[in-house]
């Protein structure tokens, strides 16, 4: 079910609840007594950040409930199991930094990790619009990577959260295109574009976002290698978490109304705290009472509609822009083994493709199944993306459309909203100080990619840094 449909569906249900007293005979047959769930903390969103936060709080004997819109945990994690061979293919989150949070989290859930092996094969750079071959950017890539790394080392505070200095350096505020020119990064642009996939027309927006994403940790991982789930793909981590969290997770559930009272942690006694109305898939309404709420979803779109935003929160969240990122697996009969097709512009700066477009097509461990990605500034429907990708594949492979040989999607995921950013002016206006200042405001805390950058391990580290403040607030609130 797509999000807009879900929203309409829930709106309708909610409306019918309000109308219930007016037409009792219509409703009583289905009405069930509303269930109330009381926990210390309510976490909205069961992706990388929400699940990790839930596990860490439970370790501290703090009770939680996780509200997740989808029928599974893991967010951007997508694993397809090939029915023929049983081979898992991760076409969402696949690579993890070799860091203590990664190793400990996997160990806690008994999911095995191994070092990821460089995939061999052939890389072809092609302008997908025309099918013509594109030369790699000229120059020495390792020297350009060293220049890039030196920029990062001058701004070590970028490694953790958004704590920009009083006088924000121009290198962070200028567009990434200008930074690339200034430090002659052309030869390493392809590598950066591969590891920051899903980022939109990033030559045009503030360099700080690319510097955060392609971080020192990521550069280190490029040299030392990544870790990956070695059994049944990345989803195994979240399946294990679901088993462990059990009844503390409400799947296919969204918050449709909220009342977050009890402001600055001074509240005591009855009547204080948060009350969230949650609509579950089986048409049941659940009331969640909690001392604190943690938002583990990008603060954009439907998730905010059920939230009782105040003017300050609404103003801050209103600054965010985001891109649209789609991935999938496509069956392409007779696809050349090991072939990776990278969409490049024959006549664009650094050969970066113009959006919207198919970004790459790559062979997987299963013959004739390729992984594809598509990036856009504007939302696109699943049908539009799938059709564009199918046509690109045929054009690039130089094939005619034939019914029995047509590329066919076997899996698809829309990862929007992806890579939340604000304007240069907002950053200069100390947007991120005000965003950080939201932590704890109205007993609400925030975790996830928006507050760090899109990488599981840095997101988990950010949760660990925030935990003491969450626990302190809870102690103040409950007199525990
Ligand atoms: C295709 C792709 C590949 C990636 N690959 C990697 C990788 O290999 N390694 C890496 O480290 N990072 C990777 N990333 C980056 C990824 O963004 C982060 O690693 C991490 O998954 C982000 O976690 P999060 O908790 O912020 O968000 P998410 O994982 O998106 O979690 C948000 C959760 O909230 C749920 N939700 C949304 N709306 C609502 C609502 N209204 N109510 C309740 N729940 C809601 C969503 O369903 C989702 O489960 C990748 C990202 C994408 C898109
Ligand atoms: C949590 O509770 C268990 C069982 O009561 C106890 O053994 C453990 O020390 C507690 N942990 C913390 C962090 O308080
Ligand atoms: C992991 O395995 C250990 C030892 O086999 C076991 O004690 C523990 O309960 C398991 N944990 C989970 C989350 O399955
Ligand atoms: C690139 O530069 C590095 C370091 O200066 C050097 O060792 C390497 O040989 C160069 N590579 C090429 C292909 O010139």
């Amino acid at each position: 079910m797509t999000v807009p449909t879900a929203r309409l569906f829930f709106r309708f249900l909610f409306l019918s609840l309000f109308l219930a007293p007016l037409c009792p005979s219509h409703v009583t047959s289905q009405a069930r007594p509303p269930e109330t769930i009381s926990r210390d903390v309510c976490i909205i969103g069961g992706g990388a950040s929400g699940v990790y936060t839930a596990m860490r709080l439970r370790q501290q004997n703090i009770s939680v409930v996780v509200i997740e819109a989808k029928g599974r945990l893991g967010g951007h994690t997508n694993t397809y199991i090939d029915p023929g061979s049983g081979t898992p293919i991760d076409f969402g989150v696949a690579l993890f930094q070799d860091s203590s949070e990664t190793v400990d989290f996997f160990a806690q859930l008994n999911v095995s990790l191994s070092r990821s092996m460089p995939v061999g094969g052939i890389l072809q750079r092609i302008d997908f619009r025309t099918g013509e071959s594109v030369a790699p950017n000229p120059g020495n890539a390792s020297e350009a990577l060293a220049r890039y790394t030196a920029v990062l080392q001058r701004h070590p505070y970028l490694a953790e959260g958004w704590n920009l200095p009083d006088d924000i350096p121009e290198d962070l505020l200028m567009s990434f295109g200008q930074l690339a020119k200034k430090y002659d990064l052309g030869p390493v642009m392809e590598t950066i574009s591969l590891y920051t996939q899903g980022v939109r027309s990033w030559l045009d927006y503030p360099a700080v976002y690319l510097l955060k994403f392609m971080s020192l940790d990521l550069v280190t991982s490029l040299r030392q290698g990544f870790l990956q789930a070695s059994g049944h793909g990345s989803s195994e981590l979240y399946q294990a978490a679901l088993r462990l969290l059990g009844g503390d997770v409400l799947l296919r559930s969204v918050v449709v109304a909220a009342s977050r009272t009890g402001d600055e942690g001074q509240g005591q006694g009855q009547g204080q705290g948060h009350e969230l109305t949650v609509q579950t898939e089986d048409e049941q309404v659940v009331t969640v009472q909690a001392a604190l709420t943690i938002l583990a979803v990008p603060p954009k779109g439907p998730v905010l509609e059920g939230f009782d935003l105040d003017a300050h929160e609404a103003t801050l969240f209103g600054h965010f822009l985001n891109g649209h990122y789609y991935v999938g697996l496509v069956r392409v009969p007779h696809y050349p083994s090991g072939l990776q097709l990278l969409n490049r512009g024959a006549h664009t700066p650094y050969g970066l493709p113009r959006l919207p477009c198919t970004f790459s097509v790559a062979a997987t461990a299963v013959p004739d199944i390729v992984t594809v990605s598509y990036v856009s500034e504007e939302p696109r429907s699943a049908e539009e993306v799938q059709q564009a990708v199918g046509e690109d594949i045929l054009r690039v492979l130089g094939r005619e459309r034939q019914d029995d040989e047509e590329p066919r999607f076997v899996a698809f995921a829309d990862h929007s909203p992806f890579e939340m950013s604000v304007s240069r002016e907002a950053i200069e206006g100390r947007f991120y100080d005000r965003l950080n200042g939201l932590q704890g405001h109205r007993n609400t805390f925030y975790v996830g990619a928006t507050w760090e950058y899109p990488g599981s391990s840095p997101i988990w580290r950010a949760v660990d840094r925030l935990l003491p403040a969450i626990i302190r607030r809870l102690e103040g609130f409950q007199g525990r």
Side-chain angles (χ1 to χ4, degrees), residues 139-144 146:
N140 185 315
S142 54
E143 287 178 352

Side-chain angles (χ1 to χ4, degrees), residues 37-52:
I37 298 177
S38 293
R39 295 287 192 278
D40 296 323
V41 177
C42 174
I43 300 170
I44 303 175
S49 62
V51 169
Y52 187 81

Side-chain angles (χ1 to χ4, degrees), residues 42 50 91 157 228 243 266 333 393:
C42 174
F91 63 105
Y157 48 84
Q228 65 183 20
R243 281 195 297 276
Q266 308 308 325
I393 291 174

Side-chain angles (χ1 to χ4, degrees), residues 353-377:
R354 274 200 225 296
L355 307 187
C357 68
T358 306
F359 189 86
S360 69
V361 175
T364 65
V366 178
D368 291 354
I369 291 193
V370 298
T371 167
V372 299
S373 61
Y374 187 94
V375 188
S376 176
E377 298 276 357

Side-chain angles (χ1 to χ4, degrees), residues 127-324:
D127 190 324
F128 281 18
R129 292 178 180 210
T130 59
E132 71 188 291
S133 179
V134 178
N137 289 320
N140 185 315
S142 54
E143 287 178 352
L145 183 60
R147 286 192 293 279
Y148 177 78
T149 307
V151 176
L152 286 175
Q153 282 164 341
R154 282 201 287 282
H155 309 291
Y157 48 84
L158 291 177
E160 291 192 344
W162 283 85
N163 304 297
L164 304 178
D166 288 344
D167 200 2
I168 303 176
E170 182 58 25
D171 277 0
L172 308 190
L173 294 169
M174 66 173 60
S175 71
F176 193 71
Q178 288 170 313
L179 188 90
K181 203 168 166 198
K182 180 172 173 184
Y183 295 101
D184 186 18
L185 301 180
V188 75
M189 292 299 258
E190 179 175 295
T191 304
I192 296 178
S193 78
L194 283 173
Y195 283 91
T196 59
Q197 269 197 49
V199 174
R200 23 200 227 283
S201 301
W202 44 253
L203 288 181
D204 302 332
Y205 70 87
V208 64
Y209 290 105
L210 264 292
L211 292 166
K212 283 284 297 174
F213 200 154
M214 188 76 181
S215 63
L216 278 176
D217 287 323
L218 197 53
V219 171
T220 304
S221 299
L222 283 184
R223 266 203 313 274
Q224 298 180 352
F226 291 88
L227 299 176
Q228 65 183 20
S230 49
H232 307 287
S234 301
S235 295
E236 198 184 348
L237 184 71
Y238 294 100
Q239 285 156 3
L242 182 59
R243 281 195 297 276
L244 205 69
L245 292 169
D248 289 346
V249 177
L250 300 178
L251 293 176
R252 299 184 191 88
S253 299
V254 294
V255 174
V256 291
S259 154
R260 289 172 297 145
T261 55
D263 232 33
E264 291 309 323
Q266 308 308 325
Q268 292 110 24
Q270 307 295 310
Q272 294 282 357
H274 292 181
E275 192 161 293
L276 308 174
T277 307
V278 176
Q279 188 85 65
T280 66
E281 190 192 42
D282 57 355
E283 306 193 7
Q284 203 172 351
V285 175
V286 174
T287 300
V288 171
Q289 291 174 337
L292 307 181
T293 299
I294 298 179
L295 193 71
V297 182
K300 183 101 186 190
V303 71
L304 298 182
E305 286 170 24
F307 230 41
D308 55 339
L309 292 186
D310 67 16
H312 181 54
E313 294 164 334
T315 304
L316 284 177
F317 297 155
H319 279 277
F320 280 116
L321 309 167
N322 64 270
H324 298 268

